[in-house]
Amino acid sequence: MPETRILVVDDEPGIAHLCERLLQRAGYETQAVTNPRRALRLLQTDPVDLLLVDIRMPGMDGFELMRQARQALPDLAVVIMTGFGTVETAIEALRIGADGLILKPFSRGAELVESVAHALEAHRRSRDAQRLQALRPLFDVTRRLFSETDPEQLRLLLMDAICEHLQCEHAALYARSGVGAPPRLESARGDVPDPGGGYLPHLWEQASQGMLAPGRADSVPLPPEMGYGSLVAAAVSGPEVSRLLLAARNPGEPPFGEADLELLVVLAHQAAAALENARLYGELRAYVRQVQESQQLLLQAEKMATAGRLTASIAHEINNPLQGVRNCLHLASRSELSEAERAEYLQLGREELDRLMTTVQRMLEFYRPSAVERSTVDLHALIERVVKLLHREMEQHNIRLHLSLSEDLPSPWAVRDQIQQVLLNLVLNAVEAMPEGGDLRIETRYNHDEAQVIIADSGPGVPAHLRNQIFEPFFSTKDDGSGLGLTVCDGIITAHGGRLELQDSPDGGARFLVSLPLHPMEA
């Protein structure tokens, strides 16, 4: 811990040097002068912790010297000496903020040492109370800093906090990416030093321990071109970016003190942590957005793959009406037909075209990119759509459909097109699992705040050793399968807060249970 430094000022050389010897013997680093103006010059270049000053001196009394000294050193402790002790003198000393008063001549040397020690302790307690008072607003400032996740708004909030709590017009936040890298100005209030000038590198080096000017003997001088009266700065080094906070007051305003510097140092560390949190939050937000976009692309890709599988199953639904239209047009063009027969063939052609348009419309509805807005979904209507889309495929493969739909099934909260995609994929898987025919059962039921759909087939089922892998990406039991169908289905249902399960089937085959919550998921 550094020695306490004391400056003694008394126009009587004998008294000045006596005080110097007594205080040095007590362990204080002490210097004595007899000229108050010389004392002021010393204080500006070589700050001390305590000023021991006589009241009556030629040219400048002790009270005026104390006032001017504290303009340069706000945290200076002062003990007044006088040979004319009166009540008025004591009141004036207290009024201007003296920390102690001692009468000359001293009856014993220990009296002087005790008065100085008492004044230093009282001054220390006063400064601690001032620091606590200055740091109290930090609780609110810290809460506001850490609740803001927009870096630009965070910087503006920081500038406002510095100007408000340090009562200054000039504040700046600088940043640099590494030692020796050129600094850049991130935010500012009032007039601040140019980041490209030569002043900042010297300031940055010293500000790592906190810099107060004037006020410390080793402080970087104030930048003359800015016209500041006093300045405080604090630098904080981070893993990627180092930052410097600066605050300055105009000439004529009270200079900054140690309590102001401590407040700025705390603000600098809080600001660095808050800015780093905001940066990480921004990266996380961008990553989440990228994941959401990737999931949407995956959903659409799987939807297209499912549509490709549908193409073969409904190709005849397009070819047959087209062939019928062609035959009707050919027959209607024969000259020997009566007008009634020609009109009949044209009407048949129109009916075939209507059937063709209905089929194409179903395909277009499936291809269309799905919306992501959630609403109540009629599961029975979705099942009906899927069945209509695949009914010809089931007829060709001799698949018998068994529907058991609950009459009082409530509607879950979901994205309609995504749930349709899941049901279409599961039913299509069941149809493809029974190429020689079989039974397809679709059941709905209400169970403990969930709407459930069961899709079961009488095919070969899923081998026991593969049951734990069917929801993994790129795993498929089919030679031409993408291995993404069930993965995407599971992802959709999970995103809705539900479950997709492969259950044991008493009749053999595969049995899938889709469970969807009836109420929206909490954010």
Side-chain angles (χ1 to χ4, degrees):
M1 182 176 179
E3 285 185 298
T4 301
R5 306 179 73 242
I6 299 176
L7 178 63
V8 179
V9 186
D10 195 311
D11 61 323
E12 297 184 31
I15 297 294
H17 292 300
L18 173 62
C19 293
E20 182 180 32
R21 288 194 303 272
L22 290 173
L23 293 172
Q24 285 177 343
R25 191 182 306 162
Y28 298 109
E29 182 182 341
T30 309
Q31 182 179 1
V33 296
T34 57
N35 187 313
R37 300 199 178 277
R38 180 171 176 238
L40 279 177
R41 291 194 295 272
L42 283 174
L43 289 173
Q44 291 172 354
T45 59
D46 195 12
V48 298
D49 300 295
L50 182 138
L51 175 65
L52 178 62
V53 58
D54 187 25
I55 291 180
R56 293 190 176 183
M57 294 182 293
M60 181 185 299
D61 65 22
F63 290 145
E64 181 61 26
L65 175 59
M66 173 182 169
R67 291 189 189 95
Q68 294 192 29
R70 279 194 167 162
Q71 288 182 358
L73 300 172
D75 294 316
L76 181 66
V78 179
V79 174
I80 298 292
M81 296 187 296
T82 181
F84 304 92
T86 64
V87 174
E88 290 76 11
T89 301
I91 292 174
E92 179 65 12
L94 291 173
R95 187 184 67 81
I96 65 173
D99 298 285
L101 176 68
I102 186 169
L103 298 178
K104 296 187 298 182
F106 315 125
S107 60
R108 52 191 178 89
E111 184 180 352
L112 172 65
V113 175
E114 290 172 0
S115 295
V116 167
H118 177 75
L120 286 169
E121 177 62 22
H123 189 68
R124 183 192 64 78
R125 289 197 299 267
S126 175
R127 283 190 302 171
D128 289 345
Q130 291 175 2
R131 289 192 182 101
L132 180 60
Q133 188 68 25
L135 291 175
R136 279 176 181 168
L138 276 178
F139 295 111
D140 181 59
V141 173
T142 299
R143 179 187 60 79
R144 288 155 56 196
L145 289 178
F146 281 95
S147 64
E148 181 58 63
T149 57
D150 183 339
E152 185 58 32
Q153 291 299 320
L154 183 57
R155 296 184 187 100
L156 296 176
L157 183 63
L158 179 60
M159 294 296 98
D160 292 340
I162 292 175
C163 292
E164 177 185 354
H165 295 291
L166 291 182
Q167 299 179 356
C168 61
E169 294 183 10
H170 314 284
L173 173 65
Y174 299 91
R176 65 183 183 188
S177 300
V179 178
R184 62 184 183 275
L185 181 63
E186 289 193 328
S187 190
R189 289 283 190 278
D191 299 325
V192 298
D194 183 357
Y199 180 72
L200 277 186
H202 301 291
L203 176 63
W204 207 305
E205 180 179 353
Q206 190 178 87
S208 59
Q209 300 298 324
M211 201 281 291
L212 173 65
R216 292 182 174 179
D218 57 349
S219 295
V220 174
L222 294 171
E225 72 278 4
M226 301 307 301
Y228 296 149
S230 60
L231 179 147
V232 283
V236 179
S237 297
E240 297 184 5
V241 178
S242 297
R243 287 185 167 86
L244 172 71
L245 269 181
L246 174 151
R249 288 176 179 167
N250 295 320
E253 297 178 341
F256 290 114
E258 291 290 340
D260 298 313
L261 177 59
E262 290 180 5
L263 176 60
L264 187 70
V265 169
V266 174
L267 271 176
H269 284 84
Q270 299 283 19
L275 285 166
E276 179 66 11
N277 287 347
R279 183 187 68 82
L280 294 174
Y281 180 80
E283 291 182 356
L284 177 61
R285 187 164 45 193
Y287 174 74
V288 170
R289 184 166 53 250
Q290 182 180 3
V291 169
Q292 290 174 338
E293 291 173 354
S294 299
Q295 287 177 338
Q296 285 298 111
L297 289 174
L298 181 60
L299 289 174
Q300 191 62 19
E302 175 56 26
K303 194 170 186 178
M304 293 300 99
T306 305
R309 294 162 63 193
L310 279 173
T311 302
S313 67
I314 68 169
H316 59 276
E317 293 197 39
I318 295 177
N319 287 331
N320 290 347
L322 284 177
Q323 186 64 41
V325 170
R326 180 183 178 186
N327 291 339
C328 289
L329 290 176
H330 174 72
L331 292 173
S333 64
R334 294 172 59 179
S335 58
E336 67 271 17
L337 290 179
S338 65
E339 288 302 321
E341 291 175 322
R342 183 174 288 106
E344 182 181 358
Y345 284 126
L346 290 176
Q347 180 60 31
L348 289 173
R350 290 191 193 95
E351 293 175 359
E352 290 299 305
L353 283 175
D354 289 342
R355 189 157 67 94
L356 176 60
M357 289 176 64
T358 301
T359 301
V360 172
Q361 183 62 33
R362 290 176 186 169
M363 287 299 297
L364 288 176
E365 289 175 359
F366 181 79
Y367 272 101
R368 187 179 300 117
S370 60
V372 295
E373 291 80 10
R374 298 191 182 190
S375 60
T376 54
V377 174
D378 186 345
L379 289 178
H380 291 168
L382 292 187
I383 292 171
E384 182 181 354
R385 287 171 61 87
V386 170
V387 168
K388 285 183 178 179
L389 198 58
L390 296 176
H391 78 282
R392 188 60 61 91
E393 181 80 2
M394 289 188 283
E395 286 179 0
Q396 287 191 339
H397 288 80
N398 194 27
I399 293 175
R400 295 172 295 278
L401 177 63
H402 307 275
L403 294 177
S404 178
L405 306 182
S406 173
E407 294 182 358
D408 58 350
L409 182 70
S411 298
W413 189 263
V415 180
R416 178 179 177 278
D417 289 348
Q418 290 184 2
I419 302 305
Q420 176 180 293
Q421 182 179 347
V422 171
L423 298 178
L424 180 62
N425 208 315
L426 293 175
V427 173
L428 193 55
N429 283 346
V431 171
E432 293 175 348
M434 300 180 290
E436 304 301 325
D439 294 293
L440 172 63
R441 290 179 170 81
I442 302 178
E443 176 187 352
T444 61
R445 65 189 184 189
Y446 170 55
N447 184 30
H448 300 298
D449 291 331
E450 288 183 333
Q452 296 182 335
V453 180
I454 298 172
I455 299 174
D457 62 64
S458 59
V462 180
H465 65 285
L466 299 179
R467 293 173 67 91
N468 293 331
Q469 304 177 52
I470 61 170
F471 295 114
E472 295 179 4
F474 308 111
F475 175 81
S476 177
T477 58
K478 295 175 287 189
D479 294 336
D480 57 348
S482 67
L484 289 174
L486 287 177
T487 301
V488 172
C489 291
D490 184 53
I492 291 174
I493 300 303
T494 301
H496 282 76
R499 306 184 313 281
L500 175 59
E501 305 173 45
L502 173 62
Q503 297 184 323
D504 293 328
S505 176
D507 302 324
R511 175 187 169 98
F512 286 90
L513 170 66
V514 178
S515 300
L516 290 169
L518 299 180
H519 306 291
M521 295 175 60
E522 293 185 1

